[in-house]
Every structure is written in structure tokens, then in C-alpha cells.
Amino acid sequence: MGEGTQAISVRLARDSAEIAAAQRLRYEVFVEELGGDGPLVDHGARLEKDRFDPFFDHLLALDGDRVIGVYRLLRQDQAEAAGQFYSEDEYDLTALKRSGRRLLELGRSCLHRDYRGGTAMFQLWQGLADYVLAHGIEVLFGTASFHGTDVEGLAGPLSFLHHRHLAPADLRVRARAFQPMDLVPEAAIDRRQAMREIPALIKAYLRLGGCVGEGAFIDHAFNTTDVCLVMDTARMDGRQRALYTRGSAE
């Protein structure tokens, strides 16, 4: 069954059964497709989960009753209850936490394979925009991944992100197990090739004015190379704001 069989709706998960459905989709994408793993992944039940799930809000895209898209959302008050933001294991978030801005961490964004390339991700973004407006969020951030851990093979796109989209100093988080991203001089980067190699989700953040923290993090358990994306809603220009909030209440 592909996109278009029913109207896709977007809302927060309401109970443990819906969170389990989200974890099942995450298993299909992050474990089966991308080769990830983790200490709390339940291979028997085919659930990708971790200790942070009870603290996050889980934004769902549904085709009828079927969960076909997921986003995890963690406000600062929820992070305090969890003891930290999820990405603090990978990145020093001091700059963000000292900013005094209202923060929202994003993660585990994925779509069922049958719904990629259609409108489902855009509809998830609309649901996210509604959530941001409702909670007065000012800065969104979270790790996003390149598949695999071959840093040399990713030198072009990582260098492009570092040279062209590095976060301003007041929002510049830094990788803890620091993997430099400035692997190729800016003048030597094949921009077109680099953009082709950047995952669609990261490119979507860049179109909205997003930027990256300093350094990448190699996540061997998840078989990914991570960058930390930061998006300051106050720095969006009119075109970017229209893309982000289109269809949302002003």
C-alpha cells in the first residue's frame, strides 16, 4: 500500500501501543535497512528503542491507522527529567544551553519506504511547525546521519557542510569524540557532487537555514557518521519561514 490510499494525518502518539508502532517502523529503517543496533533494541519483537523514549513526544504520520512516519521531539523540560538531551552523549551542547533560548531536540526521523519522495515528510514538517509554535520553541537541533563510517568516503560532503554551513559561534555545538569535518580545502570541493551525497533530510534543514556544529561523530553502533544540525527560527528569512510554516497557524 503506497501513499495516497487515504489522507495522511499527523499527531502525537497517544499511548504505549502507538509508541510501539513507531519503534517498529524505526526498527525497519534504522536496524533492517541501515544496520544499526543498540543496547535496548528488541530484535525478537522488532522494536528499535532506547532509554529516552519515555521522555520524548513522538510525532506520528499515519495513513489511516498505520504509522508510516516518525519524529521524536524533546523539549528542555523533558530533557531535564531524562537527565540530559539525547545528543549530549555525542555533542557538547553548552552553547545552546547557555543561550537562554527555548530548545527542542529532534531525532529518529524516518518514513516507511513506500512513502518516501511524496508528501508525507512535508506533512510531518507541518506537524512539527505546529508543535514549535504551540510551545514557543526558538532553536531546533539534533543529530542527522550519513550512512556508514567511512570518513574518507564522506570527505566531500562533510567538508562542504563545514565550510559553507558552520553554525555561528553562539550556537556552535562541538563533537565530543571529535572527527574533523574540514577534510578538503573549500576551493577543492566539488559542490554539485557534495550536494548529491548529502542525505535528503540534511538538505531539507539547510534549505530552512539550518547549520551544523563543529566536528562529526562516528556512531559505530548505528553504523552512521553524525552531524549536529541547528536551526534558529529567528534567523530564518521570509522564504524559509514560509516553507516551514506553510499551512500552520500563525
Side-chain angles (χ1 to χ4, degrees):
M1 179 174 63
E3 187 170 1
T5 55
Q6 299 185 53
I8 293 174
S9 59
V10 175
R11 60 170 172 78
L12 295 178
R14 295 169 176 165
D15 53 37
S16 59
E18 290 187 343
I19 293 174
Q23 293 168 335
R24 196 166 298 113
L25 176 61
R26 284 161 37 188
Y27 188 92
E28 291 179 18
V29 175
F30 295 118
V31 179
E32 291 185 332
E33 288 188 43
L34 300 179
D37 203 352
L40 295 183
V41 171
D42 187 336
H43 293 285
R46 301 179 71 253
L47 301 175
E48 191 281 299
K49 57 184 181 177
D50 63 26
R51 78 169 187 85
F52 288 90
D53 276 325
F55 301 97
F56 274 84
D57 283 338
H58 300 260
L59 186 66
L60 309 178
L62 302 105
D63 187 345
D65 294 327
R66 181 191 185 197
V67 173
I68 56 91
V70 178
Y71 235 130
R72 287 203 316 186
L73 314 176
L74 190 73
R75 302 185 310 273
Q76 197 151 6
D77 58 306
Q78 295 166 309
E80 290 168 1
Q84 66 172 90
F85 283 105
Y86 172 83
S87 55
E88 279 188 272
D89 285 342
E90 299 187 6
Y91 280 84
D92 180 350
L93 303 181
T94 300
L96 294 182
K97 294 168 74 173
R98 286 181 177 172
S99 69
R101 315 283 298 286
R102 289 192 178 183
L103 307 177
L104 180 68
E105 183 177 40
L106 311 177
R108 292 297 197 275
S109 174
C110 62
L111 288 175
H112 188 279
R113 61 173 62 87
D114 293 345
Y115 293 80
R116 295 169 197 166
T119 63
M121 180 54 77
F122 179 74
Q123 288 170 280
L124 266 175
W125 274 91
Q126 292 299 298
L128 175 61
D130 290 339
Y131 187 98
V132 165
L133 290 168
H135 291 279
I137 301 300
E138 297 170 280
V139 177
L140 299 85
F141 72 97
T143 56
S145 302
F146 289 84
H147 181 49
T149 58
D150 176 10
V151 176
E152 289 304 315
L154 297 171
L158 290 177
S159 299
F160 176 81
L161 291 174
H162 174 86
H163 291 301
R164 300 288 184 91
H165 295 283
L166 189 63
D170 60 321
L171 298 177
R172 191 177 302 165
V173 302
R174 180 179 170 86
R176 296 188 184 277
F178 192 83
Q179 167 58 56
M181 293 170 61
D182 54 340
L183 303 171
V184 178
E186 184 173 6
I189 297 171
D190 182 336
R191 183 183 181 280
R192 184 170 295 179
Q193 180 63 29
M195 285 299 291
R196 278 199 294 265
E197 295 174 3
I198 293 174
L201 180 63
I202 297 178
K203 283 191 277 198
Y205 279 107
L206 298 181
R207 284 194 294 271
L208 291 168
C211 48
V212 298
E214 188 174 7
F217 181 91
I218 310 303
D219 188 339
H220 292 284
F222 248 72
N223 190 33
T224 58
T225 299
D226 299 344
V227 297
C228 191
L229 287 155
V230 181
M231 191 168 73
D232 183 353
T233 60
R235 285 181 164 101
M236 285 182 177
D237 63 28
R239 179 186 61 82
Q240 291 162 340
R241 191 175 299 278
L243 279 172
Y244 181 62
T245 61
R246 190 186 312 152
S248 301
E250 293 294 337

